[in-house]
Amino acid sequence: MTATNHPARPRLQRIRKPMTVRRALSWALIILAVAASVLPFYWVIRTSLSTNGSLASNATNLLPADFNLGAFKRVFGLQSAEEAMAEGGSGAHIDFWLYLRNSVLFASITTVGALFFSAMAAYAFARLRWKGRNAVFSLFLATMMVPGIFTALPNFLLIKNLGLLNTLLGLVLPYLFMSPFAIFFLRQFFLNMSREVEEAAMLDGAKHLRIFFQIVLPNAAAPLATLALLTFIGQWNEYFWPLLVANQDDLRVLTVGLGVFKAQAPQGAPDWSGLMAATLVSALPILLLFIAFGKKIVNSIGFSGIK
Amino acid sequence: MTTTAASRAARADTALHAPPGRAGKPFWRRNHGDLRIALFFIAPALLGFVTFYVVPAVRGTYLSFTEYSLLGEPEWVGGANYAAIAKDPLFWNALAVTGEYVLINMVLQTVLALGLALLMHRVAKSTLIRGALLLPYLMANVIAALLWFWLLDYQIGIVNHFIEALGLPRVAFFGSEAWAIPTQALINTWRHVGYTALLLFAGLQAIPRQIYEVADLDGASPFQTLRRITLPLLRPVIALVVIVTAIGSIQIFDTVAVTTQGGPVNASRVLQFYIYQKAFTESDFGYGSALAVILFVILAVVAFVQMKFLRGNESDLD
């Protein structure tokens, strides 16, 4: 570490701090934090590849205890009840393919619907001029403050009254039409977008609908992608609402399925490898999204719009 | 009632902002009665807003004044639910337990995240490290809960092996009344601390570098810089982070529902789990709705405090 006292180059001085002990300590703490964030996932993988009976005697072994893919077979319903019970499972039928499919359907449908309709609304709030616009926008924003459970109870009744309990439609309906955050976020983006192309198109006689589809949406592709990613992850992780309205086996999403799987575990000796295999299966799609788009996700975190 | 207030506010607003310096582009003005096309564009969102937010809010409030078992019709009972709640020891227990959970989260998460953000700001700004710290936040609560349910298992969990290796007695993280809530709070802190750190890190990045350079030239010690410059300038972001943490953690449900189910005894029967049990396990929808109204009011108060807080700090960096 050079450049200790160079008043002429204060910038470099700030970047290259001379105190190596302090820097080493800082790095050590950061590595510790990274390890605490990431290593538990390794333990999930390791456990899911182990055999239940060997877990206790190899509790601190870093490698899978008695390597075995049985846990995954069990989770996907590929083991017979006898086989499953022999390996420490509960023997109850469970099929995570089904839950995986339900999660994909639930998260994709709600993400696409909410983003498309929110973009339409954001266009009306950012580009059109109409009486009551700002008041309606504030009301929409206020819904971000409403706790989920306050609307969840009456929404459950509504879905029940409509006869839509344990249907895909009932599951997605409350999320389908808008997301207050998406409207807020997209309106902000539209407001900052140059209007010149739109104005030229308007002079050529293009209607708002064409402008929205051919100019505004394509230009907003990048923020829409980020928003879609965040919305999808949020929906994938949703637990409370699916638990209320879709708790029958053929419609369970992964989070609900996981809860059921855990609850089935025989008391005394839970099916740890099965449970961790199920956890891994539920986490994997998000892990893959994270590997593919991690940078986009990380860079989206910040209070840019608020300060 | 709301409509007139809203339209009056809107009219005042239009009157104030109507001529927006776009005199050179007359067509925006010509079109300024866009109401019909605007209605088309917001129709789906408006439908969702009314059906799944406004009507439920009204209906939920109404139900809180009724007795309703999901069979037959709700029966109006006035404030009986609220009177019963005031005398319900389980409600006060839920409030205390939720409070403990929120408090641990607020303190622990903010302190750890602030430390992490300062470290990242000082030595490591790489996206890879930030990504790794964010990973737990992207996982579902249920996943975080089950993962730690295994790691913290009393018999063969790895954490208890470490504890034992240190010569300490094993801890029943989920099984003892004293540990149930701190354990839930630690899981939530694990899941959120990276996210919170990134928010604070973004706040740190926004502090102008020149201020630090001047402090450096003046010979300020790192501790002085932290106390006199960084923390005061970061205060609005810290305030926001604390409140976001509070609002988020008041609504804890998922981790409790898949691990302790409110137990042992009532040690982790947090407010939202109690509401869920009342409404869906005991089919006492009126009582559950009244509890939900109370939770809503608590959150509204927190949100109000948040706004006060932030407005008071707005000018710090200007």
Side-chain angles (χ1 to χ4, degrees):
Chain A
M1 297 289 144
T2 52
T4 315
N5 273 315
H6 270 294
R9 296 166 66 192
R11 281 198 150 194
L12 261 184
Q13 186 197 349
R14 217 191 76 74
I15 293 169
R16 303 209 174 278
K17 280 277 179 191
M19 279 170 282
T20 41
V21 177
R22 180 188 282 271
R23 278 176 64 84
L25 196 68
S26 302
W27 271 109
L29 288 173
I30 284 189
I31 288 166
L32 195 70
V34 168
S37 297
V38 176
L39 285 186
F41 293 103
Y42 172 71
W43 209 241
V44 171
I45 298 172
R46 174 260 182 199
T47 309
S48 67
L49 295 170
S50 302
T51 308
N52 271 319
S54 312
L55 280 174
S57 47
N58 296 286
T60 49
N61 192 338
L62 289 182
L63 294 173
D66 201 354
F67 182 88
N68 179 347
L69 289 175
F72 288 94
K73 287 190 191 146
R74 197 147 63 244
V75 162
F76 286 120
L78 300 172
Q79 271 184 341
S80 68
E82 296 81 46
E83 263 182 294
M85 273 148 85
E87 290 186 10
S90 72
H93 180 74
I94 200 105
D95 185 358
F96 268 73
W97 281 123
L98 201 59
Y99 306 157
L100 195 63
R101 186 204 69 181
N102 292 336
S103 272
V104 168
L105 282 177
F106 171 62
S108 325
I109 294 174
T110 51
T111 301
V112 171
L115 284 203
F116 180 69
F117 294 136
S118 294
M120 282 176 67
Y123 181 81
F125 286 125
R127 283 292 192 267
L128 301 174
R129 183 158 301 159
W130 42 288
K131 260 185 191 173
R133 181 183 66 183
N134 294 0
V136 173
F137 179 65
S138 323
L139 281 176
F140 273 41
L141 268 196
T143 54
M144 278 205 267
M145 280 294 153
V146 179
I149 184 135
F150 183 61
T151 46
L153 299 190
N155 276 337
F156 169 82
L157 285 183
L158 176 66
I159 295 298
K160 186 171 179 281
N161 294 347
L162 292 172
L164 293 175
L165 280 188
N166 288 305
T167 65
L168 184 62
L169 189 61
L171 183 60
V172 300
L173 220 43
Y175 299 100
L176 199 57
F177 298 106
M178 70 174 269
S179 138
F181 176 72
I183 293 178
F184 170 76
F185 181 95
L186 288 171
R187 172 182 172 269
Q188 210 62 30
F189 182 80
F190 292 164
L191 283 177
N192 291 331
M193 222 161 79
S194 156
R195 292 184 184 211
E196 274 168 30
V197 186
E198 291 165 56
E199 288 175 358
M202 193 75 87
L203 286 177
D204 286 345
K207 292 280 189 281
H208 281 294
L209 212 56
R210 245 189 77 196
I211 291 178
F212 175 70
F213 277 106
Q214 296 190 341
I215 300 173
V216 173
L217 276 192
N219 279 337
L224 276 172
T226 306
L227 202 53
L229 210 53
L230 297 178
T231 312
F232 185 88
I233 293 174
Q235 291 299 99
W236 187 271
N237 294 344
E238 195 63 50
Y239 178 66
F240 191 60
W241 178 252
L243 178 72
L244 297 188
V245 299
N247 204 1
Q248 257 171 24
D249 191 49
D250 58 346
L251 215 77
R252 275 180 200 139
V253 296
L254 284 167
T255 46
V256 178
L258 269 176
V260 171
F261 188 69
K262 190 249 158 192
Q264 281 176 349
Q267 275 308 310
D271 176 10
W272 287 119
S273 58
L275 192 59
M276 289 303 112
T279 303
L280 188 63
V281 168
S282 311
L284 202 59
I286 301 297
L287 286 173
L288 293 179
L289 276 183
F290 184 67
I291 289 166
F293 303 109
K295 204 164 181 178
K296 221 177 174 59
I297 299 174
V298 170
N299 290 334
S300 73
I301 309 291
F303 279 135
S304 48
I306 291 173
K307 164 61 207 163
Chain B
M1 195 177 73
T2 335
T3 337
T4 44
S7 58
R8 209 182 315 122
R11 228 177 297 130
D13 196 80
T14 333
L16 275 174
H17 300 291
R22 288 195 170 270
K25 282 142 191 170
F27 73 88
W28 284 111
R29 290 198 153 184
R30 236 189 295 135
N31 280 2
H32 81 72
D34 287 335
L35 188 61
R36 197 177 294 180
I37 185 80
L39 266 180
F40 170 78
F41 271 97
I42 63 162
L46 200 61
L47 175 72
F49 174 67
V50 171
T51 317
F52 296 107
Y53 288 96
V54 179
V55 174
V58 175
R59 196 176 181 191
T61 313
Y62 163 73
L63 285 173
S64 77
F65 294 103
T66 67
E67 194 176 320
Y68 185 34
S69 66
L70 287 176
L71 302 166
E73 289 298 309
E75 188 188 321
W76 182 266
V77 293
N81 286 326
Y82 292 96
I85 288 172
K87 281 183 266 169
D88 179 357
L90 276 181
F91 164 72
W92 294 107
N93 171 68
L95 209 57
V97 166
T98 311
E100 183 190 350
Y101 175 84
V102 172
L103 201 68
I104 298 177
N105 267 301
M106 266 165 59
V107 175
L108 201 61
Q109 214 167 294
T110 311
V111 170
L112 287 179
L114 190 60
L116 261 181
L118 288 169
L119 288 175
M120 279 197 277
H121 191 57
R122 186 170 285 270
V123 292
K125 300 186 186 197
S126 90
T127 313
L128 190 68
I129 287 175
R130 281 188 282 158
L133 292 173
L134 193 63
L135 191 58
Y137 177 71
L138 301 177
M139 293 297 144
N141 280 319
V142 176
I143 288 178
L146 291 180
L147 185 159
W148 284 103
F149 195 63
W150 162 229
L151 292 178
L152 299 176
D153 180 61
Y154 185 77
Q155 300 290 342
I156 54 174
I158 181 107
V159 174
N160 265 320
H161 273 280
F162 283 135
I163 291 176
E164 218 175 36
L166 292 173
L168 300 167
R170 287 167 182 256
V171 178
F173 286 101
F174 293 97
S176 77
E177 286 188 54
W179 271 99
I181 278 295
T183 301
Q184 304 279 359
L186 285 171
I187 294 174
N188 193 59
T189 298
W190 174 77
R191 185 170 170 256
H192 278 88
V193 76
Y195 174 70
T196 311
L198 287 199
L199 292 179
L200 291 168
F201 176 73
L204 284 174
Q205 301 271 68
I207 297 176
R209 180 168 283 188
Q210 297 91 302
I211 300 183
Y212 288 111
E213 287 166 7
V214 173
D216 240 13
L217 288 178
D218 287 348
S221 74
F223 180 70
Q224 278 175 319
T225 315
L226 177 70
R227 243 200 74 192
R228 309 263 169 185
I229 298 176
T230 310
L231 288 185
L233 288 181
L234 203 58
R235 209 170 56 195
V237 184
I238 296 177
L240 197 56
V241 156
V242 170
I243 305 298
V244 167
T245 306
I247 290 181
S249 50
I250 288 175
Q251 302 179 60
I252 176 198
F253 174 83
D254 303 2
T255 46
V256 169
V258 296
T259 57
T260 54
Q261 296 262 318
V265 197
N266 294 313
S268 64
R269 202 175 304 283
V270 290
L271 206 44
Q272 185 159 335
F273 192 73
Y274 189 46
I275 297 174
Y276 169 78
Q277 283 189 314
K278 276 288 171 193
F280 293 98
T281 316
E282 299 174 24
S283 292
D284 199 344
F285 230 76
Y287 200 88
S289 299
L291 287 168
V293 169
I294 292 172
L295 180 61
F296 184 30
V297 170
I298 295 174
L299 277 168
V301 170
V302 174
F304 177 75
V305 171
Q306 162 189 28
M307 298 219 271
K308 279 280 202 200
F309 228 130
L310 290 180
R311 202 166 295 152
N313 285 284
E314 235 163 26
S315 57
D316 268 19
L317 244 185
D318 296 331

